[in-house]
Amino acid sequence: MSEVVLYNKVGKIAFITLNRPSRFNAIDPELPRVLESCVQRANNDDDVHVIVLQGAGKAFCSGYDLKIFAETPKPIPGSQNMPWDPYVDFKLMYGNTMKFMSLWKSLKPVICKVHGYAIAGGSDIALCCDLIVMAEDAKIGYPPARVWGVPTTAMWVHRVGPERAKRLLLTGDIINGKEAERIGLVSAAVPAAELDEYVLRLANRVASTPKNQLFMCKQLVNQAYENMGLHSSQLLATLFDGIARHSPEGVYFKEQVEKHGFNEVVKMRDSGVLSFEHISRPTTVDSKSSQSGVDSKTDVNGNEKLNGLPPGRRSKL
């Protein structure tokens, strides 16, 4: 069995390559762990000044492998039987998020080279890097924002601000490298034929700077974003991601993928054809309580009950 992530060093540059080309480098259960290990290996090598992250084959990363995480009948990691346990889901997904964030927290700067696709979880990985260079015709986006996902690294708003982050996440739209460069999501977009040369030239330029200078400049910028609440955003995003996969719409989406395959159902989701209007859901307000203004937690005067005691007795507790 081949390694899901490859590591190679040339001079002062460490190359980390996602290596599941037959699945467009989709994320399997092992990839996050091995990716983090490779980042640590580069950090422990005093000869390395910069890391280049890339994907083998025709794409950078197509996101989580839906053959594993969506088509396989539940219960599986990421899709529990109901009622679901948020702690179990959070432990899994936050663990993966922190492994992706090893790129952000790396002592050495990381340049991400994107060709083909950086979609869904693949965009999470790319956006954790310090610099991103895309092929002009490459695609990036987070389509699961339409249903069944929330970007756990929460990097969109920190990269492009609230207006553009909402524009992309509220639609799940995918954009190409040229547009990503225009809105400031990535450092540069170049013709696909020039991508390798451009990234290597940039990596050599960065590598010519002393490691301590690279570390200080990277941490200076990173700390500004940490102070703006990046960590708390990721906590919330990871919880929301779990909710999205176990909401009525998320459960229905998973059922459809199990029946019809992810290619067909994802195509329907992302085109807006897949409807969720028929899904039954619990009501949030009891109609009788709403009409009378009285519920089991209040008395006839609307005062809050406390263990059945009248308001006058509460001060003695």
Side-chain angles (χ1 to χ4, degrees):
M1 183 176 178
S2 62
E3 286 288 333
V4 295
V5 182
L6 303 177
Y7 184 92
N8 181 44
K9 185 181 76 171
V10 179
K12 297 179 179 181
I13 305 172
F15 293 89
I16 298 176
T17 306
L18 308 182
N19 189 42
R20 299 187 72 225
S22 63
R23 302 290 305 139
F24 300 101
N25 301 314
I27 302 163
D28 70 355
E30 282 296 299
L31 189 144
R33 178 188 63 79
V34 183
L35 172 62
E36 180 185 42
S37 177
C38 288
V39 173
Q40 190 60 50
R41 181 177 174 181
N43 277 283
N44 290 338
D45 189 334
D46 283 339
D47 292 334
V48 171
H49 284 221
V50 63
I51 300 167
V52 172
L53 179 65
Q54 58 192 0
K58 296 182 179 180
F60 171 70
C61 179
S62 59
Y64 278 88
D65 193 331
L66 298 187
K67 281 282 187 183
I68 299 171
F69 295 104
E71 286 190 359
T72 304
K74 64 182 180 181
I76 57 172
S79 291
Q80 302 174 35
N81 287 329
M82 303 298 280
W84 69 294
D85 185 340
Y87 170 76
V88 172
D89 190 88
F90 182 85
K91 184 178 179 182
L92 168 70
M93 295 307 297
Y94 193 67
N96 285 351
T97 299
M98 289 301 98
K99 290 176 177 63
F100 299 157
M101 281 292 287
S102 67
L103 298 159
W104 173 266
K105 296 177 180 180
S106 168
L107 304 179
K108 315 287 177 69
V110 183
I111 301 171
C112 184
K113 179 171 66 177
V114 175
H115 71 294
Y117 295 93
I119 300 297
S123 68
D124 275 328
I125 293 175
L127 295 178
C128 284
C129 297
D130 300 299
L131 302 174
I132 306 172
V133 181
M134 292 182 66
E136 290 177 341
D137 60 353
K139 303 294 194 299
I140 190 169
Y142 199 88
R146 296 189 62 82
V147 73
W148 215 58
V150 172
T152 60
T153 60
M155 282 293 185
W156 292 90
V157 65
H158 293 288
R159 288 239 176 213
V160 294
E163 182 75 22
R164 285 179 169 135
K166 289 177 182 178
R167 170 62 182 83
L168 292 168
L169 294 178
L170 295 178
T171 61
D173 285 350
I174 296 171
I175 58 175
N176 63 26
K178 284 185 175 181
E179 178 66 5
E181 180 187 37
R182 187 188 72 81
I183 67 174
L185 183 65
V186 304
S187 293
V190 300
E194 301 172 15
L195 182 63
D196 289 346
E197 180 184 354
Y198 185 98
V199 170
L200 184 59
R201 188 165 63 247
L202 176 61
N204 279 316
R205 175 65 174 166
V206 173
S208 67
T209 302
K211 293 192 301 293
N212 52 17
Q213 284 295 132
L214 295 173
F215 168 78
M216 289 185 287
C217 290
K218 170 173 175 167
Q219 296 307 317
L220 175 65
V221 176
N222 280 16
Q223 193 57 50
Y225 281 91
E226 299 286 350
N227 291 341
M228 285 190 276
L230 175 60
H231 178 65
S232 58
S233 297
Q234 291 176 339
L235 286 172
L236 188 64
T238 306
L239 286 169
F240 281 174
D241 184 57
I243 294 171
R245 281 177 278 105
H246 295 90
S247 68
E249 292 86 354
V251 170
Y252 177 73
F253 175 82
K254 175 71 166 64
E255 291 171 350
Q256 296 306 301
V257 171
E258 288 181 16
K259 291 178 182 177
H260 306 294
F262 78 89
N263 280 330
E264 182 62 28
V265 180
V266 166
K267 187 185 302 180
M268 294 171 63
R269 177 196 67 187
D270 297 348
S271 66
V273 172
L274 189 64
S275 173
F276 303 97
E277 298 301 320
H278 65 286
I279 298 175
S280 62
R281 64 192 67 249
T283 57
T284 56
V285 179
D286 180 82
S287 58
K288 292 182 180 179
S289 297
S290 177
Q291 292 171 5
S292 66
V294 178
D295 60 34
S296 61
K297 296 180 180 179
T298 60
D299 61 22
V300 293
N301 296 316
N303 295 316
E304 183 183 358
K305 295 178 181 178
L306 183 61
N307 295 329
L309 297 176
R313 298 288 302 277
R314 296 180 190 176
S315 62
K316 298 180 180 181
L317 295 180

